[in-house]
Amino acid sequence: MSDLPEVLVFGSPLRPRQSVPRAPRTLLALLLAALLPLGALAAPAHAAEPGGGSWTVRQPGAARDGVSAEVRVDAVDGTVTLAARRGGVTVLEPAPVGIVTDTADLTSNLRLGSRASRQVSERYTMTTGKQLRRTVRMTETRFSFSGTDGARLDLLVRVADDGIAYRYVLPGGGSDKSGDVTVEREASAFQLPASARAWLAPYTPNYERVYAPATAAGAADGTYGYPSLFRVGDTYALLTEADVDGRYAAGRLVHEQGGGRYAVELADDTVTSAGPLATPWRTAVIGSLAGVTESTLVDDLAPASRIADTSWIRPGPVAWSWLDGFAAAQRSLAAQQRYVDYSAAHGWPYTLVDDGWKTTDWMPELIDYARKRGVRVLLWAHYTDLDTAAERAEFLPRVKKWGAAGLKIDFMDSDSQERFRWYDDVLRDTARHELLVNFHGATLPKGIQRTWPHVMTLEAVYGAEQGNVPAAGITTLPFTRNVVGSMDYTPMAFQFGTRTVSDAAELALSVVYESGFQNYAGSVRAYRDRPELERFLEQVPTVWDETRLLSGQPGQGAAFARRQGDRWFLGSVSSGAAGTQGVPLDFLGGGRWLVEVVRDGDDGLVRERRTVTARDTLSVPTAEHGGFAGIVCRAAPGRDGCDRPVSRLPLTSLTVEPARTDVDAGTSVDVVGRFAVEEFGPAEDVSLTVRAPEGWAVTGDDPHAGRLPAGRDLKGDWTVSVPQDAEYGGRDLVVTAKYRSPEGKGARKLQVERTVRVFVSPPGVDHVSDLPFAAESNGWGPVERDRSNGERDAADGGTLNIRGTGYDKGLGVHAASEVVVELDGSYRRFTAEVGVDDEVGGKGGVAFEVLADGRVLATTGVLTGTDPARRIDVDVTGAERLTLRVTDGGDGVDSDHADWAGARLLT
């Protein structure tokens, strides 16, 4: 919440002011300028008014369909209500306002002491959003009330062209006389006409629920999240809140079926803050559907930026690999380098590495690799990594020293005052280290991106990572969740989940949805299969100078035009049958314009060009649940497209075979390396080499190419001999490709490496991971050989790691698990190092059991993710069958990823 720039008026009524001369710099003018923000002068205050009454707050010179608020005091019981109108239509019927503290009930028996009005006028610039430069004009009236025993309450009501908002201001001095204020509840509510159409999402603290249509009265009993959208005639009202920080808790709406009242309920039973306390703004964005959708009211109500120099804050598209391999992809340096290479090839400035990277040791290497290619790396973090000052003091400087650009912080999952205090702390500290922020598992934007402009986006949405967002849900979000701030929906996940809209409609989400970071969730293969999509995503920005809603209805469709500089970008998505969509172009200026449309064709996405004027309507054939994307630029002689040049590097790949192998001392390994230029060649001065451990011999030529065009590759073949006296264990053979790009930013020599992991086995030892299983069962996905359990798919785990120690051989399992191998009496001992794998981040709890022919030979008791590895060494002489079992540690099976590290049988 703001730092209360407004003048706080308590106590006795104010006398009406005498008229002030317009002569410059009178003493009174200087005093007023010091007291009132942005030079806004208060209108004359009105003295106490006995009994009941009603007062209207509106903008000066408001249009006939302008927005107004009416405050009414009941003459009998002293209750206060607030209503809102747009022109002659009552949008919000009278609903109670008031608040209860631990010392006073300020919901009734209220007497108006004074009221004063002023104009609020501001200009500010955003780093993200639907409109970068903003102008604020509001009328604010302060109603100063006294209650029983002289308790004081100020009600501030603001009216703008696009809605109304109100908040309470309370003086300090609670029951403990400390100056603190303890709020027990608000009486605040919004009263909609019973028949009003509604689009509502059930409340959860991460706001990850689908919006569904209803009526204001017909919606089921329950709690609903902000923002909630209602339609009254031709007018829409979007209910939400603004300016929430650690001095308060966030709220939600509680509804009882049969009526149109939506009452405000706080996330905490009580809220305590230092006085004077200004609560969040209870906000209703009101207007036509276009007016509501284009509104910036939530940001307009928020405090000004707390970052003076924002030059380091740069929004942009992000390559996000999570939905192309989940945690396994995050633990793979090669996979993350692949996404860096893709970003560098298409001019994207960022790559995001999600949950899983913290079990690796290569992050500084990846960040350096990306930096040399003009790409910056964003890192995922669990909020508990940063929930204390000591943790932030260690973590933030460390990742900043590596060169990370910012953080995706996840799993806050709370709207409590305590969590908002954490938001205050982490935003202050990340800003100090110039780290950009993306919040997932987070609260809703409530003006946070104005106050903290390094917040690029927030999730707070049932997004693409759910894998099954219905088309009706997709087409409701532009009019609900995305109105109030950047929304990290993570579009373009073609390789994941159930497709509910067409390819062109999915592409259109890059325009329809606003997000400072657009975390594109596709796989490299999915992008390359759609070249017109790749081309469009190279051009589309993530921040906008101007936004226009062209057409649409919640749940049915949405078509937007958004401008950056002198180009407009079009995006349309629909829910329904195939047809032809007409989009008016009257937002364009005079003259002729070139439009390039990307739409669904019979064999994939197609691009079409046409020349238009502002008088035309653009007609585009659309598929079922389809849409289109487009770019509009000024037509000019010789211009055949709207694309701008893209700074890019060649998209390359380096593969090696085998990726890993087991050998005996005194034998050899054949290694093949292949460097390919996939797109945007050529690569120049290309070479391939292999590096082996000291004492290992390498034979074969190191190939070189002076120029390697797109579609060509360079191959190297080597034989690596393992010495007779080689130490047992894992070793790396490193294949290195070096090359240059003709493009300016890649003029330096670039390098990429891939490893062949070679495990030298000792004689007389068989590793369990190399033997056939007589039987197996696993609690999550398959049993993994020489990998951690990972996720549900085979071979999606990482290196076996227990408390920072890696193991080349072993089994990765998940409780409850059982692996059976036949011994046939051939072995004498079984040994292993067992524990919970580091990939679960210190969570989990399991117990290990070793059985031979049904007889228990060893048990570990419960081991957790914080315990070191436990060694098992048992005699299996004469045993026919070995059973390795992992059971739940008694706290459920969540995160029970268990490792039989180095599990082996000795003859």
Side-chain angles (χ1 to χ4, degrees):
M1 296 172 296
S2 71
D3 294 326
L4 300 183
E6 300 90 356
V7 182
L8 305 184
V9 182
F10 300 106
S12 60
L14 296 177
R15 296 174 181 267
R17 294 187 299 138
Q18 301 296 317
S19 61
V20 180
R22 298 181 63 86
R25 299 302 177 189
T26 64
L27 177 60
L28 181 56
L30 291 171
L31 290 172
L32 287 171
L35 289 173
L36 294 174
L38 303 168
L41 300 182
H46 298 266
E49 301 181 39
S54 65
W55 303 268
T56 299
V57 183
R58 60 166 53 93
Q59 287 277 68
R64 292 181 59 187
D65 63 348
V67 177
S68 63
E70 182 183 68
V71 175
R72 180 180 295 273
V73 180
D74 188 274
V76 177
D77 59 13
T79 58
V80 181
T81 60
L82 184 143
R85 297 173 65 85
R86 179 179 178 233
V89 176
T90 298
V91 183
L92 298 177
E93 298 174 346
V97 296
I99 197 166
V100 177
T101 72
D102 63 340
T103 61
D105 183 340
L106 295 166
T107 64
S108 62
N109 299 316
L110 296 176
R111 178 183 177 88
L112 181 64
S114 65
R115 57 186 173 89
S117 295
R118 70 183 184 112
Q119 295 304 119
V120 178
S121 180
E122 297 177 284
R123 294 181 185 272
Y124 65 96
T125 300
M126 296 283 287
T127 59
T128 58
K130 65 186 81 171
Q131 179 185 336
L132 291 181
R133 282 164 287 280
R134 313 277 182 87
T135 299
V136 180
R137 287 185 294 270
M138 302 182 192
T139 297
E140 178 186 282
T141 298
R142 179 186 295 268
F143 298 87
S144 295
F145 294 99
S146 60
T148 305
D149 297 327
R152 293 170 292 171
L153 168 69
D154 275 14
L155 171 68
L156 272 63
V157 179
R158 285 189 179 182
V159 174
D161 291 340
D162 53 349
I164 64 116
Y166 68 91
R167 75 185 333 168
Y168 310 110
V169 179
L170 297 161
S175 59
D176 59 1
K177 305 304 180 184
S178 66
D180 288 348
V181 180
T182 297
V183 174
E184 295 183 346
R185 66 178 177 87
E186 293 185 23
S188 312
F190 298 96
Q191 182 75 38
L192 280 303
S195 61
R197 290 275 292 159
W199 291 267
L200 306 170
Y203 173 79
T204 65
N206 58 21
Y207 296 85
E208 295 180 23
R209 292 295 183 270
V210 176
Y211 278 85
T215 63
D221 292 353
T223 306
Y224 295 95
Y226 293 128
S228 293
L229 180 67
F230 298 85
R231 177 178 177 176
V232 181
D234 293 330
T235 297
Y236 291 79
L238 187 76
L239 307 184
T240 187
E241 61 185 353
D243 189 10
V244 185
D245 64 15
R247 289 191 284 174
Y248 217 70
R252 55 271 187 133
L253 298 173
V254 179
H255 175 249
E256 293 184 6
Q257 190 172 26
R261 178 164 297 183
Y262 287 77
V264 175
E265 178 184 79
L266 302 182
D268 292 329
D269 292 336
T270 61
V271 173
T272 299
S273 287
L277 168 66
T279 69
W281 292 102
R282 304 290 159 223
T283 305
V285 184
I286 298 173
S288 66
L289 187 58
V292 168
T293 307
E294 298 166 15
S295 168
T296 62
L297 181 60
V298 171
D299 290 332
D300 296 346
L301 292 164
S305 172
R306 293 178 181 170
I307 299 176
D309 176 15
T310 61
S311 61
W312 56 276
I313 300 173
R314 297 175 184 174
V318 183
W320 184 51
S321 58
W322 179 258
L323 297 184
D324 182 31
F326 303 98
Q330 317 313 303
R331 291 190 291 265
S332 168
L333 175 60
Q336 294 310 312
Q337 288 177 334
R338 175 71 164 162
Y339 275 85
V340 167
D341 290 342
Y342 188 85
S343 292
H346 291 273
W348 293 0
Y350 298 104
T351 295
L352 167 61
V353 188
D354 214 284
D355 184 16
W357 69 268
K358 286 183 287 183
T359 64
T360 71
D361 60 1
W362 44 252
M363 186 53 68
E365 179 183 350
L366 175 69
I367 292 174
D368 184 63
Y369 180 93
R371 178 185 58 80
K372 291 175 179 176
R373 289 157 174 79
V375 177
R376 303 193 68 193
V377 175
L378 307 166
L379 301 177
W380 180 93
H382 197 288
Y383 104 92
T384 56
D385 297 329
L386 301 164
D387 63 344
T388 68
E391 288 171 332
R392 294 191 294 275
E394 188 281 326
F395 187 92
L396 298 179
R398 174 161 53 94
V399 300
K400 182 65 177 179
K401 183 178 180 180
W402 292 346
L407 300 175
K408 172 184 173 180
I409 309 176
D410 208 344
F411 292 115
M412 285 69 70
D413 291 334
S414 173
D415 271 330
S416 68
Q417 182 183 24
E418 177 187 13
R419 194 68 79 246
F420 274 94
R421 286 173 172 165
W422 174 85
Y423 280 114
D424 294 344
D425 292 340
V426 79
L427 286 169
R428 179 197 63 235
D429 292 347
T430 50
R432 182 181 300 132
H433 291 283
E434 296 189 353
L435 291 166
L436 304 174
V437 175
N438 168 11
F439 285 122
H440 264 232
T443 192
L444 196 74
K446 306 170 193 292
I448 192 173
Q449 290 177 278
R450 178 185 179 187
T451 307
W452 295 105
H454 65 309
V455 178
M456 294 290 94
T457 190
L458 302 90
E459 185 185 27
V461 66
Y462 189 87
E465 67 181 39
Q466 304 292 338
N468 62 349
V469 186
I474 289 172
T475 53
T476 300
L477 292 173
F479 308 107
T480 51
R481 162 63 182 88
N482 208 191
V483 172
V484 299
S486 289
M487 178 179 76
D488 193 14
Y489 179 85
T490 65
M492 312 305 154
F494 297 97
Q495 77 287 350
F496 172 76
T498 301
R499 307 297 308 140
T500 59
V501 296
S502 74
D503 280 11
E506 188 74 25
L507 177 60
L509 298 184
S510 64
V511 179
V512 172
Y513 291 163
E514 180 275 310
S515 185
F517 278 159
Q518 282 283 15
N519 286 287
Y520 294 135
S523 67
V524 173
R525 172 51 57 193
Y527 294 138
R528 295 193 64 204
D529 286 344
R530 299 165 174 83
E532 288 296 350
L533 176 137
E534 287 187 299
R535 180 176 167 184
F536 187 86
L537 292 182
E538 289 179 350
Q539 298 294 318
V540 64
T542 67
V543 294
W544 307 101
D545 295 317
E546 187 176 355
T547 288
R548 300 282 187 92
L549 175 66
L550 304 181
S551 64
Q553 285 291 320
Q556 299 176 24
F560 281 84
R562 300 190 194 266
R563 179 180 62 83
Q564 187 185 78
D566 60 357
R567 290 192 299 174
W568 287 90
F569 290 80
L570 307 179
S572 174
V573 59
S574 65
S575 172
T580 298
Q581 183 171 357
V583 176
L585 298 177
D586 52 5
F587 61 90
L588 297 173
R592 295 168 64 79
W593 297 80
L594 180 64
V595 179
E596 293 188 275
V597 171
V598 181
R599 65 172 181 86
D600 296 298
D602 294 337
D603 298 312
L605 295 173
V606 297
R607 180 178 292 247
E608 298 175 339
R609 296 180 180 86
R610 61 194 80 173
T611 302
V612 299
T613 70
R615 298 186 300 275
D616 293 328
T617 295
L618 181 67
S619 295
V620 182
T622 55
E624 182 182 16
H625 303 320
F628 67 88
I631 309 179
V632 186
C633 60
R634 283 283 183 184
R639 172 175 282 178
D640 61 359
C642 295
D643 287 358
R644 300 275 171 82
V646 176
S647 179
R648 63 171 93 248
L649 293 179
L651 178 62
T652 65
S653 63
L654 174 63
T655 57
V656 296
E657 294 180 355
R660 57 193 304 158
T661 187
D662 295 348
V663 300
D664 295 327
T667 62
S668 63
V669 179
D670 291 329
V671 175
V672 177
R674 190 184 304 272
F675 178 82
V677 179
E678 300 179 21
E679 289 183 297
F680 312 123
E684 298 179 342
D685 192 15
V686 183
S687 63
L688 284 176
T689 59
V690 65
R691 184 173 69 251
E694 186 176 357
W696 295 37
V698 178
T699 58
D701 295 330
D702 295 339
H704 178 271
R707 182 179 178 86
L708 202 61
R712 298 288 297 277
D713 60 42
L714 183 66
K715 179 185 176 185
D717 294 274
W718 304 273
T719 297
V720 180
S721 299
V722 183
Q724 286 283 358
D725 59 351
E727 294 184 6
Y728 304 131
R731 301 290 186 275
D732 286 336
L733 307 178
V734 181
V735 177
T736 302
K738 295 182 179 180
Y739 64 101
R740 298 182 191 276
S741 168
E743 294 285 338
K745 75 172 184 179
R748 68 174 63 88
K749 195 95 173 187
L750 299 175
Q751 177 175 309
V752 59
E753 295 181 339
R754 296 288 177 261
T755 60
V756 176
R757 186 67 172 174
V758 178
F759 187 84
V760 182
S761 298
V765 172
D766 286 335
H767 287 89
V768 175
S769 58
D770 296 332
L771 299 176
F773 297 158
E776 63 176 299
S777 62
N778 201 46
W780 180 256
V783 174
E784 296 284 5
R785 298 175 185 266
D786 302 331
R787 298 175 183 267
S788 64
N789 183 83
E791 300 297 332
R792 290 187 174 183
D793 295 331
D796 65 358
T799 300
L800 296 158
N801 276 288
I802 304 175
R803 299 295 287 160
T805 299
Y807 301 85
D808 287 280
K809 306 293 289 183
L811 305 178
V813 300
H814 190 293
S817 171
E818 188 169 284
V819 175
V820 180
V821 294
E822 300 291 351
L823 304 185
D824 298 326
S826 301
Y827 301 95
R828 59 183 181 83
R829 300 204 72 78
F830 167 78
T831 67
E833 306 286 328
V834 299
V836 177
D837 195 274
D838 290 349
E839 68 188 2
V840 296
K843 297 180 285 187
V846 299
F848 294 81
E849 299 178 4
V850 180
L851 299 85
D853 297 333
R855 179 170 54 93
V856 177
L857 301 182
T859 60
T860 62
V862 176
L863 300 178
T864 71
T866 61
D867 290 324
R870 182 79 55 85
R871 181 166 178 78
I872 293 177
D873 186 343
V874 295
D875 188 343
V876 295
T877 304
E880 297 293 324
R881 175 172 283 205
L882 178 72
T883 301
L884 304 180
R885 182 180 295 160
V886 175
T887 61
D888 168 32
D891 59 351
V893 297
D894 181 56
S895 300
D896 282 353
H897 291 220
D899 293 344
W900 294 94
R904 58 185 183 172
L905 290 156
L906 286 63
T907 58

